[in-house]
Amino acid sequence: TVAAPKQAKIGDVVTLKFTMTNKGQATRSGIVLRNVIPAQLSHPAGNDLEYPLPTLASGESRVVVLKVTAKAAGQAINLATLANGKAIVAQDEDTIEVAAPPAVKIEQTIPKESAVGRNTSFKIAVTNTSTEPIGPATLIQTLPPGIDYLNATGTADYDPVNGRVTWLLPTLAAGSTTTFAVAVQPRQLGKTMTSLVRLTSSGKTLASSSHPIKTFGFAAPGLAISGLESPAVAGETFDVTVKLPNRGTAPITGNRLELVLPTTLELIKVTGATKEAGDTPGSLKLTPGEGKPIAAGATSTIVLTLRGQSSGQHVVQFGFSCDQLNRPLTRMDALTTLPADSIP
């Protein structure tokens, strides 16, 4: 049996794998493998090759690998035979379709990965590899859903319904290369998408290319405190609002807010977060939003209801940590409480 590819292009190295097996009960010797190489293929040793096999015991196999080069287009019929003297004992015939190299080559230069929301450039190079000019032709790039078109070089026409960018090429000289570029912006997270490019002329496809790109997101945690700007009244409750915005394109996970209060401030209530076990009145660990991630573009809000036990200055420290931060975001501020009898 001969293992051979079904197709090849001119210039390809084609591998033929011959497997000879003695299926009889007796040992066989004096067997010669002969392979007649068709005109579409070539080998430095010629087109009629012979290989004497060693003695094969019953059930024994021998594998021979032959590498030939595709040199001409057409249907290459490779004939291999096993002969003992003049008698042919086995044969196998394989057909390989040898195609001419394409007259046009399309190459896309696209990054393997791109961040959601980041401007990204897709570059296309069209090369006429033939010896004759080509044209007029139409170049069409189909952008995948999830990637938004921004602009393109040249006189490009964009179809937003089908996501197609089209250029018209009057002519492409032999051996010349024409380049195009499209500026895009990914908007879908964590997907592998494909850019498809096709060059057509008179209704026929001259060349095509596909190229994948994977999108990824990033978290952008923030920490904002409000409610400490104005003085409070000693003995009365007041609210401090903690906002945890995510200005990125991927969720924030593993969220924790640590709150350090002086003994002069009492925590009355927490809204929008749950207390963790093992904290102390002066050092609290809070889990925002019932432990759920903070989605891209969302904000987790925590309201702390406090009461100053006495008038004066009270220093409060906040620390926000999550899986995406190497170090916590920290804020420290002072709250002023006034004596109750100072308020008219």
Side-chain angles (χ1 to χ4, degrees), residues 20-261:
M20 287 73 61
T21 304
N22 181 4
K23 296 185 176 181
Q25 300 297 318
T27 299
R28 299 298 299 268
S29 60
I31 304 295
V32 176
L33 168 64
R34 181 187 180 193
N35 192 81
V36 178
I37 299 175
Q40 293 80 10
L41 307 177
S42 66
H43 190 273
N47 62 353
D48 194 346
L49 306 180
E50 292 187 350
Y51 176 75
L53 297 183
T55 300
L56 294 178
S58 175
E60 186 179 1
S61 295
R62 171 71 61 169
V63 175
V64 174
V65 175
L66 176 66
K67 292 185 180 295
V68 294
T69 302
K71 68 174 185 178
Q75 192 177 69
I77 300 176
N78 187 81
L79 178 62
T81 60
L82 291 178
N84 187 356
K86 294 184 178 181
I88 294 177
V89 297
Q91 69 177 24
D92 191 6
E93 186 177 274
D94 295 272
T95 300
I96 304 171
E97 295 289 345
V98 179
V104 181
K105 180 174 65 174
I106 296 177
E107 293 179 298
Q108 295 191 69
T109 303
I110 295 176
K112 293 181 179 179
E113 293 184 322
S114 181
V116 171
R118 180 179 180 181
N119 290 3
T120 305
S121 177
F122 288 5
K123 296 180 180 179
I124 306 167
V126 181
T127 303
N128 181 359
T129 58
S130 69
T131 57
E132 299 292 334
I134 293 176
T138 302
L139 182 68
I140 301 173
Q141 180 181 32
T142 303
L143 299 175
I147 290 186
D148 295 329
Y149 169 86
L150 299 178
N151 56 67
T153 58
T155 55
D157 180 48
Y158 177 63
D159 176 8
V161 176
N162 298 305
R164 292 177 180 170
V165 188
T166 303
W167 296 267
L168 297 179
L169 284 70
T171 185
L172 189 60
S176 66
T177 299
T178 302
T179 59
F180 306 87
V182 177
V184 299
Q185 189 178 83
R187 58 177 164 81
Q188 287 191 2
L189 175 64
K191 294 189 66 176
T192 298
M193 295 174 276
T194 302
S195 166
L196 301 175
V197 179
R198 186 164 56 97
L199 183 70
T200 63
S201 179
S202 301
K204 295 182 180 180
T205 299
L206 303 181
S208 61
S209 170
S210 63
H211 201 293
I213 180 173
K214 186 175 182 180
T215 60
F216 65 93
F218 59 93
L223 173 61
I225 313 294
S226 62
L228 299 176
E229 304 85 358
S230 301
V233 179
E236 295 183 3
T237 60
F238 60 94
D239 290 337
V240 174
T241 301
V242 180
K243 290 187 177 293
L244 307 173
N246 181 1
R247 299 180 293 269
T249 56
I252 303 174
T253 58
N255 308 307
R256 171 189 279 188
L257 179 68
E258 296 192 16
L259 179 65
V260 179
L261 297 174

Side-chain angles (χ1 to χ4, degrees), residues 222-306:
L223 173 61
I225 313 294
S226 62
L228 299 176
E229 304 85 358
S230 301
V233 179
E236 295 183 3
T237 60
F238 60 94
D239 290 337
V240 174
T241 301
V242 180
K243 290 187 177 293
L244 307 173
N246 181 1
R247 299 180 293 269
T249 56
I252 303 174
T253 58
N255 308 307
R256 171 189 279 188
L257 179 68
E258 296 192 16
L259 179 65
V260 179
L261 297 174
T263 56
T264 54
L265 282 183
E266 179 185 3
L267 179 65
I268 305 300
K269 184 175 65 171
V270 177
T271 305
T274 55
K275 293 183 181 181
E276 296 184 10
D279 58 6
T280 62
S283 180
L284 302 173
K285 295 180 178 62
L286 306 177
T287 302
E290 299 179 350
K292 296 179 181 179
I294 304 174
T299 298
S300 181
T301 302
I302 302 172
V303 178
L304 307 171
T305 302
L306 303 172

